[in-house]
Amino acid sequence: MTYGTSANPVRAQASWVERSLAAVWHPCTQMQSHPELPMLAVARADGPWLTDFDGARYFDAISSWWVCLLGHRHPAVVQALRDQLDRLDHVMLAGVTHQPVIELSERLSALTGNVLGHAFFGSDGASAIEIAIKMSAHAWQHRGHRDKQSFVCMAGSYHGETLGALGVTDLPGFRRPYEGLVRPAHVVPSADARQARPGDQACDVALRAVRHLESLLEDRADSIAAIVTEPLVQGAGGMVFYDAEYLRQVRALCDRHSVHWIADEIAVGCGRTGSFFACEQSGVWPDLLCLSKGMTGGFLPLSVVLARDEIYRLFLGDSASSAFLHSHSYTGNPLACSAAVAVLDVLQKDDVLSANRLRAARLGALLRQFSEHPRVRHFRHIGMIWAWEIAGAQPGFAQQVFRIALKHELLLRPIGNTVYLMPPYLLSDADIDALGNSVVAVMNEVLA
Ligand SMILES: Cc1ncc(COP(=O)(O)O)c(C=O)c1O
């Protein structure tokens, strides 16, 4: 298989990797680990499969950092983008509007039962977090609470890597070099279900954890604008699952102490945990909800903050100075919004989230081949996320698994000693079997 053109001569995998390492500074990467650590140069992708320049296939078991929800190049999204390209490429969103942004905003609002009826768009996950924390603090200013300017996050939280988002991120690896630049948040214990004591349920851990938030708010609510949480699953912190009771308690405490609740559904939204919004499983809604990643099915960057009417109304006034003066050049880009509308169409028309329950059962049955192994700890599953820890993992474990996975036609990227799967949703039985069998082969090798 070749991928060259006359202007761009055919090059094999190794040559593309060499050029990339010379010219591209890759994200979240110790560049010196390459080329000894393999790099995958991808020539094309179809459904869950990536194909390299030598024609070898790899199953994208983590949906390319959790964004390619429907797999790669889903025809309905490709068609929607083609149609949109024929109509409108881009237009600014201040003083101007367009059909895809209106449709997307209306449909997202409807998915919250119109509780979060105002959609403010950003470019990526971190910008959505910046928007939400600015909006929260500014909303309190409008209500005369100028001191409510600090935030609360959970231990092990991850909300992005711009400076505001790092302030509510509790992962030292990402934060430490920038500590002097970042405004730290209050960190409360995680409701991590793995902390359950013998005889405990996840709910008991949640109830214990929330007491810390309660006492913090009793002491400091006057200076706190919002708590930011990743509902149900703390992703980059190691796929930490926790009980929905925590969110119900957060809602009640926020109401009691006049603090906003910002739900960061950037990773868990769009059906990843089994419901379109993870918050739905708690039966309570936040004041601000951030969505990004899978929203456009991995086609284009886009994020949105959905806000309650009470917050939106605080920004109405006679002068520009009372408005929310935040903007990104590509805010509400028509192409990105039309991709997001097409993703919603596929999810809804094909009832993808119901079908995912059957897919999850089939994959889960295959994964049972190693889930009881004595070195496999805390094997867990929700929606289309599976995660487990490997006891006794040595330094370099994540790279070792990445390397072994490639040998078995799999793209995996463990977080420390946590191995996880977040595959695309639209998997045939053959895809699921290929994924399950490859993961079993990788784990057999890792555990040998
Ligand atoms: C929960 C959560 N919030 C925010 C972000 C930041 O999103 P982005 O990488 O698009 O800036 C991420 C990214 O992984 C995330 O998982």
Side-chain angles (χ1 to χ4, degrees), residues 66 124-127 129 158-161 230 235-236 264 266-267 292-293:
W66 325 342
D124 49 35
S127 65
I129 295 295
Y158 178 92
H159 296 288
E161 293 167 45
E230 294 160 87
D264 174 352
I266 288 161
S292 184
K293 284 207 181 268

Side-chain angles (χ1 to χ4, degrees), residues 105-162:
S105 306
E106 289 175 350
R107 287 184 58 180
L108 290 173
S109 166
L111 284 166
T112 70
N114 299 320
V115 173
L116 300 164
H118 302 276
F120 193 100
F121 287 87
S123 312
D124 49 35
S127 65
I129 295 295
E130 300 286 338
I131 289 165
I133 61 183
K134 282 175 67 179
M135 215 176 240
S136 168
H138 197 161
W140 287 120
Q141 279 178 41
H142 280 314
R143 291 181 61 179
H145 299 285
R146 302 195 76 81
D147 291 340
K148 283 171 93 65
Q149 294 207 348
S150 60
F151 292 86
V152 184
C153 65
M154 262 190 183
S157 58
Y158 178 92
H159 296 288
E161 293 167 45
T162 52

Side-chain angles (χ1 to χ4, degrees), residues 3-258:
Y3 295 95
T5 64
S6 52
N8 190 3
V10 174
R11 287 176 181 266
Q13 180 75 0
S15 158
W16 284 109
V17 169
E18 196 181 306
R19 282 174 62 182
S20 189
L21 293 179
V24 182
W25 193 340
H26 290 265
C28 213
T29 298
Q30 173 46 266
M31 293 300 291
Q32 196 177 293
S33 65
H34 296 292
E36 204 223 312
L37 183 69
M39 169 162 288
L40 182 58
V42 176
R44 58 173 295 135
D46 299 276
W49 293 100
L50 306 169
T51 306
D52 75 12
F53 285 85
D54 290 341
R57 290 196 327 163
Y58 303 89
F59 196 106
D60 188 352
I62 53 171
S63 302
S64 282
W65 266 345
W66 325 342
V67 301
C68 298
L69 283 199
L70 308 178
H72 295 267
R73 297 196 306 118
H74 188 283
V77 186
V78 171
Q79 191 56 50
L81 281 170
R82 288 206 172 111
D83 294 347
Q84 185 58 40
L85 271 172
D86 285 340
R87 287 194 297 266
L88 173 66
D89 52 353
H90 179 69
V91 67
M92 61 191 275
L93 201 61
V96 183
T97 195
H98 54 82
Q99 182 185 341
V101 80
I102 297 167
E103 263 193 51
L104 180 59
S105 306
E106 289 175 350
R107 287 184 58 180
L108 290 173
S109 166
L111 284 166
T112 70
N114 299 320
V115 173
L116 300 164
H118 302 276
F120 193 100
F121 287 87
S123 312
D124 49 35
S127 65
I129 295 295
E130 300 286 338
I131 289 165
I133 61 183
K134 282 175 67 179
M135 215 176 240
S136 168
H138 197 161
W140 287 120
Q141 279 178 41
H142 280 314
R143 291 181 61 179
H145 299 285
R146 302 195 76 81
D147 291 340
K148 283 171 93 65
Q149 294 207 348
S150 60
F151 292 86
V152 184
C153 65
M154 262 190 183
S157 58
Y158 178 92
H159 296 288
E161 293 167 45
T162 52
L163 293 178
L166 264 186
V168 288
T169 288
D170 181 48
L171 295 178
F174 293 109
R175 255 182 81 136
R176 201 175 290 121
Y178 317 107
E179 216 57 80
L181 307 176
V182 168
R183 206 158 162 270
H186 301 281
V187 180
V188 290
S190 165
D192 184 349
R194 293 171 302 182
Q195 293 165 1
R197 298 172 189 154
D200 262 5
Q201 305 290 321
C203 177
D204 300 310
V205 184
L207 290 172
R208 268 199 303 276
V210 87
R211 299 286 78 91
H212 296 264
L213 175 64
E214 184 174 32
S215 61
L216 174 69
L217 295 187
E218 275 164 7
D219 289 351
R220 305 276 185 91
D222 286 353
S223 62
I224 292 173
I227 171 165
V228 192
T229 64
E230 294 160 87
L232 301 185
V233 181
Q234 295 182 273
M239 298 299 153
V240 174
F241 291 13
Y242 66 92
D243 196 86
E245 181 59 23
Y246 189 83
L247 302 175
R248 287 188 280 277
Q249 299 282 332
V250 166
R251 179 69 278 169
L253 287 173
C254 285
D255 288 343
R256 193 179 320 146
H257 293 282
S258 296

Side-chain angles (χ1 to χ4, degrees), residues 401-416:
V401 174
F402 173 77
R403 198 190 297 267
I404 294 172
L406 289 183
K407 276 198 321 194
H408 293 281
E409 298 195 328
L410 208 53
L411 176 63
L412 284 182
R413 201 179 150 93
I415 303 169

